[in-house]
Amino acid sequence: MYHYSICTEPDKDIFSRQCKALEKHIPAIVKGSLLEDVDGSETQTYTVNDKKITVHNSYYIGAVYVDSEIELEHYFKKN
């Protein structure tokens, strides 16, 4: 499992921008459910070739982060 810290505090705008970046840069990504917790936390699920990616906007942990079954850095390398 790969873990990517995006922001050290929860932020709806950064969460939304991270989701859009994944959707733009990863071919064959399939958007799944948006889960919302009672504390306002959000989790967006995705799959790529049967591998799971989740983007979290967590008020419990206090961060925006991505957990992924595939390595994502090569999708975002600048040429």
Side-chain angles (χ1 to χ4, degrees), residues 5-67:
S5 295
I6 308 301
C7 184
T8 58
E9 60 186 59
D11 186 299
K12 286 184 177 279
D13 182 53
I14 292 173
F15 170 78
S16 177
R17 291 188 314 193
Q18 182 60 56
C19 291
K20 288 177 184 173
L22 291 173
E23 293 166 17
K24 177 180 177 183
H25 292 283
I26 300 176
I29 195 166
V30 177
K31 190 173 184 177
S33 302
L34 174 65
L35 309 172
E36 296 183 54
D37 202 343
V38 294
D39 69 355
S41 296
E42 300 168 295
T43 300
Q44 178 63 60
T45 63
Y46 295 95
T47 55
V48 177
N49 301 324
D50 296 323
K51 301 292 184 179
K52 187 174 174 181
I53 300 171
T54 54
V55 183
H56 304 271
N57 184 33
S58 175
Y59 286 93
Y60 178 74
I61 292 175
V64 176
Y65 62 96
V66 177
D67 287 326

